[in-house]
Each structure stands twice: as structure tokens, then as C-alpha cells.
Amino acid sequence: MSTSDVKLLGGWPSPFVMRARIALNIKSVDYEFLQEKVGEKSELLLKSNPVYKKIPVLIHADKPICESLIIVQYIDEVWTSGPSILPSDPYDRAIARFWAAYIDDKWFPSVRGIALIAEGDEEKKEAVQEVATGLELLEDAFPKCNKGGNFFGGERIGYLDIALGCFLAWLRVTEKLNNVKLLDEAKTPNLCKWAESFCSDAAVKDVMPETDKLLGFAKVLMARFKAPPAN
Amino acid sequence: MAEEVKLFRNWSSPFALRIVWALKLKGIEYETILEDLQNKSSLLLQYNPVHKKVPVLLHNGKPILESLVILEYIEETWKQHPLLPEDPFEKATARFWARFNDEELLPSIRDASTKQGKEQEEAIVQVEENLKYVEEKLKGNVFFGGETIGYLDLAFGWLANLVSVLEEVTGLSLTASGKFPLLSAWMQNFSDAPVIKECWPPRDKLIIKYQAMIEKYTAVAAPK
């Protein structure tokens, strides 16, 4: 299969795009990475994802697949010769899907909420607590999923690792920008150890942005929001 | 091997109904545990401590949560009467539209039904845009699943049940206008399917429930 058969529309800072890249790396799939310009949406993006107009979009043999977790499952189901991303047991799959949905529907919005809350101390404390509570739930879930391995997926990174791990760089950036500790070794030792293993995994290393680079990007983005609208 | 399948649900939750339909379509025997959501059982709270919601499927003592996750679990565990397409692209498409229902369509209909003034007008516009997508998906098909009911029909199924209830209670015209002929036909076909027909929550009870819910929202939204 030629490289141009698989295209990924995305951007290096996006954790959602990272999910797709990690999955493609796990399966050793060559792909063309088409990076969107920040603040602009390409014709191809608007055509491929008319409903949400968002990245990532995987384009495989000219067919677009949207929504990062759906893309990851698609990659797992198409490239079956590579290592499996979802667990094989239906119950384990249900657990992984449950936590991934929790992360997207509840947990990550609470992380994003910290940055969006203006300086009032009380509200920020509540937002931080919400993030911490979510991490404690995941900390609890870890030994129920990992079957003795370093990852939620066991010996190798899997669906839930990807679903959560993609946010690690943004988590660090949020900690720095808001002077808070979110991933705390005292409270979530399993997750801290897991985070290290995740970030050094071969499928992740090259697509996880460096914290400083992402910090720079975040600052530019925040300045843009504070600046008067362009149109 | 004796299977133990239990479903925690309440009488009306559209999310729980998805599971009832899936279990019936696959001919799986199960026990219903009816919950009163104003007074949740300790078992429900034990099995779903994170969200404290229905539905919860219990299979041989193990809980599975979140309706779309449960549907996939049922599909993978009981292979008869497949609900999802085999082709990965078709499957991804079905999953996308099910998420669209839960994240976009359902909230927009809820907003159109419960908000007032300008917010309501905007919600109604959004509902129309969303329904256009759904109408498009039905071109050339009786059901979203093709010739037979599938996963996406179960995801959208609540529309066949509740849209007319909401229209009656609010006076809004969501699909009654005839703007979405394929969708209207699907709602009829879906409602008429034997497995679906026998599980419909009583309409008069639904009218009372949604009337009360909308009155509550309207009262809360009274001039600030």
C-alpha cells in the first residue's frame, strides 16, 4: 500500500491527532501527515469532515474517518497483522471503552476548564480537584486493567493507554501555566509510573510534543483568544 | 453454561431502551431490574459508582456501562443477528453517527424543547441542520442498518419514540412538518417492528413526564 493511500489530517499539538498517529505507529502504517494551519481550515478538512470540521481525519483510500477514538478502532480493525490495540476479551474491551468515553466526556473537559477559568482562586481549586478526582478513578482502574503489565493494555500499549496518554503533554503545560500539580506521585503513583512508560514507548516518543514547545504554542493560542477577533 | 444477564433500567430511559431492543433482537434472555431514578438502589450505585446511571448490563456478575459501550459488548458476545456492519469503514461510519446522535442531535432537541426566546430559536435551527444529516443517511435504505434494524437504528430509535411526544408537549414541529419524509417513514417502520412495538413505554405516561420536565425548565428559566 503506497503512503498516499493513507493520509492523516491534523496538527502536531493536538492530543486527538496524536491518538491516530500512535495507532498508525503501532501498526507500522506509513501515512502522509497533512498539517492544518492554526486558525484556518483546509478545503480537504471541510470536505472530509463537514459535520464537525475538526481534526483528526483519517483518509484511507479516499474515504474519511472522523473522531479520534473511532479512528483508532478503525485502524485496529483494518490492519490486523500488527499488534492489537483493543483487548481481545469483550469485557476488557467494554472497560477500555468505558474509561475512554469517561476521559473524553468528563475528564479532559475538566482539564481544559482549568485554563479557561479566570484567576478566582476558589473556582480554580474546584477545577483542579475535579481533574484530580478523575485521575484517582483512573489510578484505581489501572491494576484492574493492566494484568501485571506496565500499561492499561497489559504488556503493550492499548486503546485506553492511547486515550489517556495523549493528554500528558497538555497536562504538564496546564500544570506550568496555572502553577498547579495535577499528576501527583503521592496520590497517583501507578499513573505516574505509567506516564513514564507511555512517553518512552516507541510508538509514542516521536509524536508526543516536548513540553516546552507545547507551552510556547499554548501561550500563542491564549494570546490569540485574548486579542480582538480578526473579523 | 447458564448465562446470567440482568439489565438495570427505568421505565422510560431512551438509553436503556437501546439495550432492551438489542437483547430482544438477539433473543437473549435477561432479567429486568427496574430502577426509580429518584431513589436509586444500592446495587445500581455499586455497579455504576462513576455515573450512577442506567442502563447497566450485568453479565455473569460483571457490570457493563454506557449504552453504546453495552451495545458493542452485546454484539461481540452474542453473534446472532449482527447489529453492526462487518466492514470497518461502515462500522466506523455507524459509530460516528451514533456519537453524533448523543453529542449533537439529542442535546439540540432537548434545548429546542426546554429553552426560551432566542436560545430556543437557535436550537430549532440547529435541530433542522442535524435532522438534515439524518435524512441524508436514510437515502436508499429502509433502516439505517440497511434492510434490517441495526446498531444505528437503535441509537436513533429514541426519535421514533419521543419526537412526537415532545411535539405534542411543546407545540414545536420538529419532523411533523413533513420536511423530513425519509425520517418520518423510518420512525413509522421502526415503531412498527414487532420487537420495538412491544417495548414502547406508555405514551400517556411519557406525555406527563415530559410535560413536567419542560415545566420545570421553563420555571427555572423565568426572567432573571
Side-chain angles (χ1 to χ4, degrees):
Chain A
M1 230 173 259
S2 68
T3 307
S4 60
D5 195 41
V6 184
K7 296 180 169 63
L8 182 68
L9 299 185
W12 66 266
S14 161
F16 302 101
V17 171
M18 200 191 313
R19 288 172 169 173
R21 298 180 78 191
I22 295 172
L24 290 165
N25 284 349
I26 289 173
K27 303 282 189 176
S28 305
V29 174
D30 281 329
Y31 63 98
E32 202 183 332
F33 187 36
L34 298 169
Q35 296 215 52
E36 293 284 311
K37 286 204 190 96
V38 177
E40 278 175 43
K41 292 180 200 267
S42 71
E43 275 303 309
L44 186 56
L45 176 60
L46 296 176
K47 194 181 82 164
S48 314
N49 191 356
V51 177
Y52 293 113
K53 309 175 178 52
K54 280 186 181 173
I55 52 175
V57 180
L58 183 75
I59 303 179
H60 182 207
D62 294 323
K63 293 195 286 202
I65 300 102
C66 308
E67 295 291 283
S68 61
L69 292 179
I70 293 176
I71 292 172
V72 171
Q73 290 182 87
Y74 175 83
I75 290 169
D76 198 31
E77 288 159 10
V78 168
W79 287 279
T80 49
S81 58
S84 287
I85 296 176
L86 268 116
S88 46
D89 176 72
Y91 186 70
D92 293 338
R93 291 159 77 93
I95 299 286
R97 284 177 171 137
F98 170 80
W99 285 115
Y102 170 80
I103 286 162
D104 275 7
D105 296 342
K106 298 264 184 289
W107 183 75
F108 185 61
S110 65
V111 174
R112 226 178 14 221
I114 294 178
L116 296 174
I117 292 174
E119 289 316 303
D121 263 4
E122 217 30 67
E123 270 191 55
K124 228 187 233 313
K125 270 197 206 141
E126 277 176 28
V128 170
Q129 185 51 54
E130 232 188 291
V131 172
T133 304
L135 287 173
E136 278 159 35
L137 286 174
L138 290 158
E139 170 80 8
D140 257 353
F142 187 77
K144 297 178 188 155
C145 297
N146 73 329
K147 303 189 200 295
N150 285 337
F151 302 105
F152 284 95
E155 297 296 317
R156 272 204 281 255
I157 70 172
Y159 184 76
L160 184 49
D161 301 281
I162 296 172
L164 181 60
C166 66
F167 294 116
L168 286 169
W170 273 106
L171 209 60
R172 284 184 220 122
V173 163
T174 306
E175 286 178 332
K176 288 199 173 183
L177 283 175
N178 297 277
N179 206 17
V180 291
K181 197 156 174 63
L182 297 170
L183 204 55
D184 190 340
E185 239 187 68
K187 297 191 180 147
T188 54
N190 282 332
L191 285 187
C192 289
K193 192 156 164 284
W194 161 83
E196 265 186 57
S197 307
F198 182 81
C199 292
S200 43
D201 187 272
V204 175
K205 263 196 333 235
D206 296 335
V207 300
M208 177 73 75
E210 283 165 27
T211 308
D212 286 334
K213 190 177 176 198
L214 198 59
L215 190 59
F217 176 82
K219 286 181 175 164
V220 168
L221 209 62
M222 277 161 61
R224 233 180 243 249
F225 278 132
K226 291 192 178 134
N231 57 344
Chain B
M1 183 177 78
E3 299 246 54
E4 194 195 57
V5 183
K6 295 187 186 179
L7 177 63
F8 288 78
R9 67 180 182 90
N10 80 334
W11 70 275
S12 63
S13 158
F15 300 101
L17 267 181
R18 290 170 170 174
I19 314 307
V20 172
W21 295 328
L23 292 169
K24 285 202 181 281
L25 284 167
K26 290 199 181 250
I28 298 160
E29 302 241 344
Y30 69 99
E31 187 192 326
T32 295
I33 295 158
L34 268 180
E35 287 282 327
D36 171 5
L37 295 182
Q38 306 307 319
N39 190 12
K40 295 173 186 175
S41 74
S42 55
L43 267 184
L44 176 65
L45 299 176
Q46 176 197 327
Y47 289 127
N48 193 354
V50 176
H51 300 300
K52 306 176 175 50
K53 283 183 179 174
V54 293
V56 174
L57 186 76
L58 206 62
H59 184 206
N60 294 332
K62 297 201 278 198
I64 301 103
L65 315 170
E66 295 290 286
S67 65
L68 294 181
V69 176
I70 298 173
L71 286 182
E72 300 245 14
Y73 176 82
I74 289 173
E75 177 74 346
E76 289 163 4
T77 306
W78 292 280
K79 309 280 189 190
Q80 66 274 29
H81 195 118
L83 298 170
L84 274 160
E86 267 196 49
D87 174 69
F89 181 71
E90 304 293 321
K91 218 186 279 203
T93 304
R95 285 170 175 152
F96 175 86
W97 289 108
R99 288 277 295 175
F100 173 81
N101 176 77
D102 286 7
E103 309 271 291
E104 305 294 326
L105 179 59
L106 193 151
S108 69
I109 291 181
R110 186 190 54 220
D111 284 351
S113 306
T114 56
K115 296 212 160 147
Q116 309 276 295
K118 190 154 183 290
E119 277 186 321
Q120 185 180 44
E121 281 168 29
E122 284 167 0
I124 291 170
V125 168
Q126 194 58 57
V127 169
E128 276 215 20
E129 276 181 37
N130 291 340
L131 288 178
K132 278 191 195 137
Y133 286 122
V134 182
E135 179 80 1
E136 186 68 34
K137 288 251 18 104
L138 280 167
K139 290 214 167 107
N141 285 321
V142 179
F143 295 107
F144 294 100
E147 294 297 310
T148 55
I149 289 174
Y151 169 89
L152 197 48
D153 299 277
L154 302 192
F156 282 129
W158 73 281
L159 292 168
N161 187 216
L162 286 180
V163 161
S164 67
V165 169
L166 291 171
E167 285 174 333
E168 188 176 317
V169 168
T170 63
L172 286 176
S173 161
L174 299 169
T175 62
S177 56
K179 257 187 220 170
F180 306 105
L182 296 177
L183 183 56
S184 299
W186 169 82
M187 288 181 352
Q188 193 62 58
N189 289 327
F190 185 79
S191 308
D192 285 342
V195 157
I196 309 300
K197 221 198 293 237
E198 67 195 31
C199 310
W200 251 193
R203 190 187 167 81
D204 49 359
K205 256 183 109 177
L206 285 173
I207 299 272
I208 295 173
K209 170 185 160 150
Y210 282 97
Q211 191 113 51
M213 184 185 88
I214 283 160
E215 268 162 29
K216 194 175 82 174
Y217 271 102
T218 316
V220 165
K224 288 174 190 158

